[in-house]
Amino acid sequence: MRKLHIWIIVLILVTQTISPQAFAEIEVDIPVPEFRAALLDIGNMASVDAYANGVELLANVDYSDISENPFEKNIIRMAVQGIAGRQGSEAFYPETEITGFEAMRYLVNLAGGSAAVEAAVLPLTGGLSDESINALYNEQYAAQAIGQGILLQTEYVGLQQAASREQLAVWLSRTIGLAPVAVDLEAVFGFNDYKLVTPANRGTIEALLRAEIMNSGNDGNFNPKGNMTRGEFMEILDAGSELLYDQNGIVVNYGLVTGIQETTSKEIGYTLEERNIIVRNVDGSVTSIRTNENTTSGRQLDFVLYKNNMPFSSKGILVGDEIQYMTRNGALIYAEALKDNVILEKIRVSEAQDGNMTTYFGSIYEILDQQKWKEDYYVNSKRCRVRTYDGQTFDLVVETDLYTGITNDMIVYKDNIVGGIDLLEEGDDISFVVKDNDNVVYVNAIPLWETTVSGTVRYVTMDEETGNSRIEIFGYDDVIYEYPVASYANVTINENYGELSDLLYGQDVTLDLKEGYVINIDSETFTDNPGYIPEYGKVRMGTIYAVYPAGIVFDIGGERYSYEMPSGIPITKGGVSVTRNALKEGDSVKLFFDDIYSDRISKMEVEGVERLIQKVYKGKLGTVNETKQTMTLYEPRYLKNDDWVDTETYSEELTLSDNAQIYIGDLPIALDDLERIYKGQVLYVVVEDSYGDSVASKVSVKSGGENLYTDAIRDIDDALGSMELEDPRINFNITKGTIVVKDSRYIDPSLLTKKDNVLVVSQYADGVYDANVVKLMTRTENIFETVYIGAIEAVGGNYFTLKNWATLDDNEWDDVDDSTSDRIYFHTDSIITDITDSDDPDTIKVADFFHESYARLENEGTDDEGLEYERYYAVVVLEDREDENRSLLAMNMRHKGLLEDQNIDDDLTDIDDIADELDDTLEDMYLTRGIIEEMDDTWERIRITDSNDWMSSVAEWKSNSVDTYVEYPNAIVIKDNEVIDIDDLEVGDSISVLRNDEKALVIFVDTE
């Protein structure tokens, strides 16, 4: 009996000694499914040799005149493929316009016809001059192009001249076998100069544009009859060559350099230095790239590396580089070192395309390091045990051979760093991708997405094969949601524990979700009308992603949808009935359907003035009140046109919207962490007008030095989340925190395109540029600055001056200046109209403008005090030019008054009174922008929908709740820096108008 007591005491002591955590530690012997990184077995990995004659390859890209050219990379990529070559000894001449003969050389090389040309020319070159040999090559390349269907016999004229953009497009299309588009040529017809494109070639150019092989110009024109430089041609040739990769034996892959092994061996008469570059590819495979150099003969296996905007040999590659590499007929010829974390994005793309990839979400709750004897050697095994949100448990295992030191590591992304499993810690929330239910492709350690959704139950289903459950609800926002349910999810009904099977149709529920899995369900059964389906039984809420002539694409919950939208369905915007022409990218919409199974829209509501962006602020974070959902910004400034402007207050208290997004780069920030971690740091904040209340809807934390850049986008890569401007040539990362604004609305970053003119507010930190704010610059930012008013003072042979004049600056009129203006120069194309008789305006020839009496001194009279009167008053529009020359585009003159029925000279004689009268006149003028909804020829007026007026009191564009009407007789109409006829305006045109009440004085047509 005593022994039994002793054993009981011992058992109690042992039990008390073991902590609760000990029971949670990994028990290695428990069978848990394991996932491992792809094996780094040197003997079994794929092996690729660099190009056999690396010296020649490197010499072929050593051009003397491309280092500052924006198409340097394209030139080098074409050179390593043997498509492009030097002109002369060391030059490429990238700025020279490409001729037809030169284009034939490159296109035939691309199509694989160079060997036939060489075979035909080389036997004939003996004793010939360089000029004659070049002519032979031209002849043979043209003949080969005809034989391959690139060039038509009828086109064998003028090939020694610079080729047009349209002709180059047609030749390239034939070379790469790109079929023309037969219908829906919306890209081509979107050009201002589409009529200049030969009708038979429009489908070909449409195909090139859709494939992003060619793009439009900065001004909205395709410029089909213009020319192209040799460098520009390399850009489109590079893009088009991808369609012939298979034909030309080209294979492109992406990977992370995980190791470099170097050996030196001495042979009889020479020394061989060899490097093996170990690359883990985005598909989980591993490749060894072999390079070497014979230090005696200089021959080497090598390839061209493009890194930091410069070409190098393979020795420039380092461990940790993320590379794109290209092989031709099995030999590696080119690699490009990409920016940080590009490989992660490529892995994700590969994952989306590979049906053998599976993504899991979960948390690491234990990590263990251990050593064990495996066959005939010791290995160190590091395992991370993960519990996924669907209730599964896995071990992520990495082993190191302690004899060779080789680690079969996996790619881990954490805290903006790409590394291995050592980055992971207990408690990390992770997503990880597994290939073939075996190898880990990558691990992403980031705070996972959490949210709460409320509504009424529609269905609860279970997959009998997997045992996984799903729930579908009607959200209280009239949106249908469906989610998987984690196996360990808690269910409470009226504050009591329940089961999924207890949930009934129509019950009110609140779902707590983590990374898309329901982890908690709180339900009540007190519903008045379970099972009731309201009028318009299905509702979708989202934003307009893009508006096309053929249809509209919507962004709903991050997914793209295109619904059938019959003509005539009711569309309201801000409570006002509108047509499709009023819809803009970024508009928030609610789509109604007659039943829950239909994809045919029956009604659309668009949030109008309530959701326009008021300001983009920058300031230092003060306090955050989580209860009131407010935060304070100190030293606030706001973005106006292309710079930051001080506010009149030292601080601003901003109310955060219920679904405000807060980011630092790609990382989301919880509201309760904002002040604790980031107090005193600079924030960028978007403030919207939400149904009359100003709310902050997006916050981006600044983490580096700021710079502002304004230029056109040169290149953009949606998959990689980056863009490059024409000048400076900087790669800007587009992150989740990037604020993209167009026409006072959010737009999706994927809608940014090449040639868009943008203002980029960028931060620079750790060698990386992140775009905090991207604002598409429209012509309405400064378009009115070319407008002047005043009285014509003097007229010379090619110029005139104004007295009592004023112009617009940042959409505000300057005070009328009673001095004489600088000279304004007119020319034969200037349009000068006398509208004194508004019913019978008189167009004045420029010679008559000089010779007749339009100047004050030539048309003066005096009263008893000797004061001049009877002037001509004018509305003047100058050409929009980058230089300082004031060149007249158009002018409307009126005798004695600026406006109809205004008789300034009859009513006033004092010069100061005249200035005051003009100041008062300008105060009654409006700036309006919007979309033409109707052209009424009977009443000679335009109905403008989605209109905004400039409000001087707040220095902002404010939306109108009703349509705006303007009368257009005698208005100056400007499009593309040219005067056009009022009949050239079309419904759907975006316009900006200077008006006095309903009378339009100047109309600008937006061509962007």
Side-chain angles (χ1 to χ4, degrees), residues 752-899:
L752 295 171
T753 60
K754 290 182 182 180
K755 308 304 182 183
D756 276 342
N757 287 298
V758 293
L759 165 71
V760 180
V761 181
S762 169
Q763 66 184 24
Y764 180 80
D766 299 325
V768 175
Y769 289 87
D770 285 340
N772 295 107
V773 181
V774 179
K775 179 182 178 185
L776 271 76
M777 303 291 286
T778 63
R779 296 189 68 213
T780 51
E781 300 293 339
N782 57 8
I783 193 170
F784 291 105
E785 292 181 359
T786 60
V787 177
Y788 285 66
I789 66 98
I792 297 176
E793 175 71 0
V795 180
N798 66 339
Y799 73 89
F800 66 97
T801 58
L802 298 175
K803 189 88 168 176
N804 288 334
W805 62 281
T807 187
L808 286 147
D809 183 14
D810 286 343
N811 296 332
E812 302 289 345
W813 285 105
D814 297 331
D815 291 335
V816 172
D817 191 336
D818 59 10
S819 66
T820 301
S821 72
D822 291 335
R823 291 183 176 185
I824 297 173
Y825 295 91
F826 55 85
H827 44 79
T828 55
D829 293 332
S830 299
I831 308 297
I832 303 173
T833 308
D834 185 345
I835 59 172
T836 304
D837 184 352
S838 58
D839 294 328
D840 187 21
D842 184 19
T843 300
I844 309 300
K845 295 180 180 180
V846 293
D848 293 338
F849 181 53
F850 168 65
H851 291 295
E852 296 179 7
S853 300
Y854 292 102
R856 175 185 63 83
L857 297 178
E858 297 170 350
N859 189 33
E860 69 174 341
T862 59
D863 61 5
D864 294 337
E865 298 178 5
L867 297 175
E868 296 87 10
Y869 61 101
E870 295 193 347
R871 300 167 177 80
Y872 273 87
Y873 294 82
V875 176
V876 177
V877 181
L878 305 185
E879 289 184 3
D880 186 6
R881 299 171 59 165
E882 294 182 356
D883 56 39
E884 295 298 319
N885 292 329
R886 293 173 175 81
S887 181
L888 178 66
L889 195 60
M891 175 170 63
N892 280 353
M893 305 182 300
R894 182 178 275 113
H895 196 211
K896 297 187 179 183
L898 191 64
L899 306 175

Side-chain angles (χ1 to χ4, degrees), residues 628-831:
K628 293 174 60 181
Q629 199 101 346
T630 61
M631 67 179 183
T632 303
L633 278 188
Y634 290 103
E635 302 175 11
R637 310 179 79 195
Y638 67 95
L639 191 62
K640 180 179 179 182
N641 293 327
D642 57 358
D643 203 358
W644 297 106
V645 177
D646 292 327
T647 63
E648 296 179 356
T649 59
Y650 177 70
S651 66
E652 289 275 354
E653 184 179 79
L654 304 176
T655 300
L656 290 155
S657 65
D658 292 336
N659 57 349
Q661 300 176 347
I662 309 174
Y663 284 95
I664 179 167
D666 281 316
L667 299 179
I669 302 169
L671 183 59
D672 54 3
D673 288 335
L674 187 59
E675 180 181 355
R676 180 176 62 84
I677 302 175
Y678 301 104
K679 185 173 183 178
Q681 285 193 228
V682 173
L683 310 180
Y684 301 96
V685 185
V686 172
V687 175
E688 292 182 289
D689 183 350
S690 179
Y691 303 99
D693 296 325
S694 296
V695 296
S697 56
K698 187 164 186 178
V699 179
S700 182
V701 179
K702 177 174 173 287
S703 59
E706 180 189 273
N707 288 290
L708 276 72
Y709 303 96
T710 303
D711 209 331
I713 296 175
R714 178 180 180 270
D715 194 19
I716 190 162
D717 192 325
D718 292 333
L720 305 184
S722 66
M723 69 176 182
E724 184 181 57
L725 299 186
E726 294 281 2
D727 184 22
R729 288 185 57 193
I730 296 174
N731 275 314
F732 298 92
N733 293 332
I734 305 295
T735 69
K736 292 181 179 179
T738 302
I739 297 163
V740 184
V741 178
K742 177 184 179 182
D743 290 337
S744 300
R745 293 168 173 81
Y746 284 130
I747 66 167
D748 193 284
S750 63
L751 290 173
L752 295 171
T753 60
K754 290 182 182 180
K755 308 304 182 183
D756 276 342
N757 287 298
V758 293
L759 165 71
V760 180
V761 181
S762 169
Q763 66 184 24
Y764 180 80
D766 299 325
V768 175
Y769 289 87
D770 285 340
N772 295 107
V773 181
V774 179
K775 179 182 178 185
L776 271 76
M777 303 291 286
T778 63
R779 296 189 68 213
T780 51
E781 300 293 339
N782 57 8
I783 193 170
F784 291 105
E785 292 181 359
T786 60
V787 177
Y788 285 66
I789 66 98
I792 297 176
E793 175 71 0
V795 180
N798 66 339
Y799 73 89
F800 66 97
T801 58
L802 298 175
K803 189 88 168 176
N804 288 334
W805 62 281
T807 187
L808 286 147
D809 183 14
D810 286 343
N811 296 332
E812 302 289 345
W813 285 105
D814 297 331
D815 291 335
V816 172
D817 191 336
D818 59 10
S819 66
T820 301
S821 72
D822 291 335
R823 291 183 176 185
I824 297 173
Y825 295 91
F826 55 85
H827 44 79
T828 55
D829 293 332
S830 299
I831 308 297

Side-chain angles (χ1 to χ4, degrees), residues 453-508:
V453 178
S454 298
T456 58
V457 175
R458 295 188 73 238
Y459 304 109
V460 176
T461 59
M462 177 179 289
D463 187 326
E464 294 182 358
E465 184 176 340
T466 64
N468 297 328
S469 299
R470 302 184 70 83
I471 186 170
E472 185 175 293
I473 69 170
F474 275 120
Y476 291 143
D477 55 1
D478 295 328
V479 178
I480 295 176
Y481 297 100
E482 183 183 1
Y483 302 107
V485 181
S487 61
Y488 56 86
N490 295 317
V491 180
T492 58
I493 302 175
N494 295 342
E495 300 183 356
N496 295 315
Y497 287 110
E499 302 289 340
L500 278 174
S501 57
D502 297 327
L503 299 175
L504 302 175
Y505 189 94
Q507 278 184 231
D508 292 304

